[in-house]
Amino acid sequence: MTSPVPGFHRILHQHRHLNKHPRHRSSCRIPNPELLISVDVLWFYARMFLYLIGLVALLALYRWYRETKRVPNISDKYVYITGCDSGFGNLLAKRLDELGYHVIAACFTEHGEDDLKKCSSKKLTTIHVDVAKSESIQKAAAFIKSKVGEAGLWGLVNNAGVSVPAGPCDWLTIQDYKQMLDVNLMGVIEVTLSVIPLIKKSQGRIVNVASVFGRISPVGGAYCISKYAVEAFNDSLRRSLRDFGIKVLCIEPGFFKTRVCNIDIMEKNVHNLWDKLPQEVRDDYGSDYVEKAVKLMKATMAKLPDPDLMKVVSCMEHAVSAVYPRTRYSPGWDAKLFWLPLSYMPTLIADYVLGRDSVKPAKAVV
């Protein structure tokens, strides 16, 4: 049998020869063959590790090069973005307008439309859309159809969403759940269905803005529920439309300084919910619960949200513009290093991590 270690049989033969002839031991020292085997095996694995690092580096370089390619003729392409009053949608509309796209920016308020018009080119068109109302969605779809013509709609970015009301599940009514789901979920679905025929014409893109809270649920209310559902809708839509040449992508941001993380809005939401609670529920939580919860929220929001919104906007722009976009984007270090890894942990560990610093109700059993 051939030895995996070069020269092993020769060294072993010399070692045995010296054992038979003790007079040679003092004049020649032959290393222990077992030691040589260990050194050679270590060197073998070290080389394999270096080869692996090189392979990973080459794959990363190839991926980077592949993702730098952009679609041609962007000046002929139309992109429809919802939720452009502020935040990610507003910045994305401006960014795509700078690149030369025909942007159709859907805003909820006239103030949002006016502000966007002031700082964009004439190629950008603003329209009023309330994604919670079917009539508004269909009216916008009809306008877009007349605007894009036979060229079709290249991209749809479902960005509109709300984050309140949110709180412990037993603080909320079914209307609170419905109110948020109408915007964050049903709005996404209905807007998408209204323009799919136009996207088929261009074999374009649908970009759905979910959240890292579509992977894990640290808070009560409908927000996480809606984002989980958007993830599911995104997956089913991607598989349904791929035969038509349409790419469906998902953005899963962590915490960023947008209205979703606005501490004033969050604090007002908590007080509004508390004021509506029956006395029985208030007694369960204790009179000082709100004060402690708001204090914890302020401490968390002071250090957690990332102020660089362009990290998310760059992912959205890449999803719209790249020849080979990623299926999912998770902008934000908190998403990559904390929330996503935590979502893969055993439930026992995730529950412990999320609950260890939470404010406990007055009548908590544990």
Side-chain angles (χ1 to χ4, degrees), residues 7 51 56 80 112 116 140-141 158 173 176 182 227 233 258 299 307 327-328 335-336 357 359:
Y51 293 152
V56 170
Y80 175 28
L116 197 52
N158 282 308
T173 66
D176 292 327
D182 281 345
K227 295 305 180 181
F233 175 64
T258 64
T327 303
R328 277 186 169 82
K336 293 180 176 68
D357 295 325
V359 179

Side-chain angles (χ1 to χ4, degrees), residues 334-345:
D334 63 316
K336 293 180 176 68
L337 301 180
F338 181 72
W339 296 112
L340 289 179
L342 186 63
S343 71
Y344 291 110
M345 292 288 179

Side-chain angles (χ1 to χ4, degrees), residues 301-318:
M301 291 300 110
K303 59 186 178 181
L304 192 57
D306 190 331
D308 185 8
L309 304 189
M310 290 307 296
K311 290 178 181 176
V312 179
V313 175
S314 295
C315 292
M316 298 164 82
E317 184 266 317
H318 188 270

Side-chain angles (χ1 to χ4, degrees), residues 207-208 210 230-231 234 248-252 326-329:
V207 182
N208 294 310
V230 168
E231 293 269 1
N234 184 87
V248 180
L249 307 318
C250 190
I251 313 291
E252 302 169 335
R326 299 182 186 181
T327 303
R328 277 186 169 82
Y329 299 82

